[in-house]
Every structure is written in C-alpha cells, then in structure tokens.
C-alpha cells in the first residue's frame, strides 16, 4: 500500500483566475450617457497602450496592483456598492484582462448591470455586457467591428486636435447616435 494520495483525493491546483486591479470604489458617473448614475468602478491594472495623456496612471504602477479572485472581488464590490447594482469596468484596459468573460459572467450572476469603458484594444467584449463605451485612441484605432457594438463613443481630444481627428469624430457622429467629445 502506498502512502501517496490517490488521484481521486489529490487536490488539484486552483483554476480560478486572479484579476489584477488597481482600484475599486463607488462614485457618481461623471461622463457620457450615464452621468449622474451611482456606479462602482472596477479599475483594471495594465494597458497595452502607453498614452502620454492617460488620466489614470495608477494602472502602470506595480505597487498599485492587487490580485482578486472572483469571490473576493464580488465581496469587495458588494461592500462598496451598498445596494447599487451598477458596475463600470474601466482601466487601464479591461479588454486586455485575462478571464474578462468569466468576470462578467460572475458579475451578471450576482445581479449587476455592467458597463465597460475601453479603447477597443486587447480582445473582444463579452456578450453579457449591458453597456460599452468605446474611447478610441488616434495612435491605436480599435477594430471597426467595435464601433458597431459600442453603445456610445467617447473621444478625448486635446486643445488643438489635428484636422483628420476632427474629421473622424464628425464622421462617427454622422453614423452613430451617441458620440461624446471631451
């Protein structure tokens, strides 16, 4: 008889993903179509783009990264949300998050309305999202298919945008019913 555990009693390594995040907080949405709505913001750590004007540098700071299992994340969101059902996945870049679809499924199962703000770089948006804000970047245009599934398009422009960027914004506003400029 062997002292080794049988295959049936051996514990398998955990297959649960760990999500690198840099911030979870509740506030009022201040941009776009849902301005004024209470939201719990889940800020993803990391982004494949290196935009010099990024308004959220925490996602690049390794000291700001915290790993959450889905169970821990749901618990933290429940504490932050205090009964408000709205969650916004933002970044960094949520589409670059490994296991995003599983995360969205877990949030839906827990009863949350889920929005995501994305540059469109990093993957496909999960089908179970309730709202997609596409924030295209001039130097890294998203796949054209994302413009069709986006509920709103949000352009961030500097003080003197180049004419081709203004043309892009104008063209999109003619083809999409919900375009914002900031």
């Amino acid at each position: 008889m062997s002292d080794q555990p049988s295959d049936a009693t051996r514990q398998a390594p955990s297959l649960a993903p760990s999500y690198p995040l840099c911030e979870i907080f509740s506030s009022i949405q201040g941009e776009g179509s849902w301005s004024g709505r209470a939201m719990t913001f889940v800020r993803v750590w990391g982004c494949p783009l290196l935009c010099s004007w990024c308004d959220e540098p925490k996602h690049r700071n390794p000291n700001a990264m915290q790993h959450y299992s889905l169970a821990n994340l749901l618990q933290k969101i429940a504490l932050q949300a205090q009964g408000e059902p709205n969650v916004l996945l933002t970044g960094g870049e949520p589409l670059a998050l490994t296991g995003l679809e599983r995360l969205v499924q877990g949030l839906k199962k827990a009863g949350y309305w889920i929005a995501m703000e994305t540059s469109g770089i990093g993957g496909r948006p999960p089908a179970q999202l309730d709202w997609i804000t596409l924030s295209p970047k001039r130097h890294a245009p998203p796949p054209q298919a994302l413009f069709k599934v986006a509920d709103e398009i949000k352009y961030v422009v500097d003080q003197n945008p180049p004419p081709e960027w203004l043309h892009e914004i104008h063209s999109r506003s003619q083809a999409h019913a919900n375009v914002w400029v900031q």
Side-chain angles (χ1 to χ4, degrees):
M1 181 172 225
S2 169
D3 288 334
Q4 297 294 320
S6 71
D7 286 341
T9 60
R10 249 185 230 134
Q11 288 197 359
S14 173
L15 298 177
S18 171
Y19 301 103
L21 307 174
C22 59
E23 197 170 25
I24 302 167
F25 64 96
S26 290
S27 187
I28 301 296
Q29 174 60 289
E31 302 172 344
S33 298
W34 297 109
S35 288
R37 181 180 262 204
M39 297 263 183
T40 298
F41 294 77
V42 176
R43 192 173 304 285
V44 172
W45 189 91
C47 179
L49 303 178
L50 298 172
C51 303
S52 61
W53 66 87
C54 182
D55 67 346
E56 191 45 69
K58 286 180 191 171
H59 74 86
R60 291 186 193 144
N61 180 350
N63 296 324
M65 181 178 27
Q66 298 176 36
H67 285 273
Y68 288 86
S69 68
L70 180 58
N72 290 48
L73 179 56
L74 289 172
Q75 185 178 41
K76 176 83 172 179
I77 290 171
L79 288 171
Q80 286 290 318
Q82 297 184 3
E84 291 292 340
N86 310 309
V87 171
L88 174 65
L89 302 174
T90 188
E93 178 50 65
L95 282 185
L97 184 64
T98 301
L100 177 62
E101 190 162 338
R102 190 179 213 177
L103 171 61
V104 170
Q105 289 171 353
L107 289 166
K108 287 306 281 183
K109 190 174 179 181
Y112 291 103
W113 179 91
I114 309 160
M116 181 180 68
E117 183 169 343
T118 178
S119 69
I121 303 300
R124 288 186 177 167
Q128 290 184 309
L129 289 168
D130 295 296
W131 189 264
I132 299 172
T133 299
L134 179 60
S135 184
K137 308 302 183 242
R138 198 171 22 159
H139 67 286
Q144 289 299 310
L146 281 177
F147 285 97
K148 292 178 180 149
V149 298
D151 296 290
E152 69 183 357
I153 303 169
K154 181 180 85 173
Y155 287 93
V156 178
V157 297
D158 55 15
Q159 208 168 15
N160 297 307
E164 63 273 9
W165 194 230
L166 294 175
H167 177 71
E168 157 84 12
I169 294 168
H170 176 72
S171 295
R172 290 286 176 206
S173 71
Q174 299 303 303
H176 197 284
N178 202 358
V179 175
W180 295 82
V181 178
Q182 292 182 208

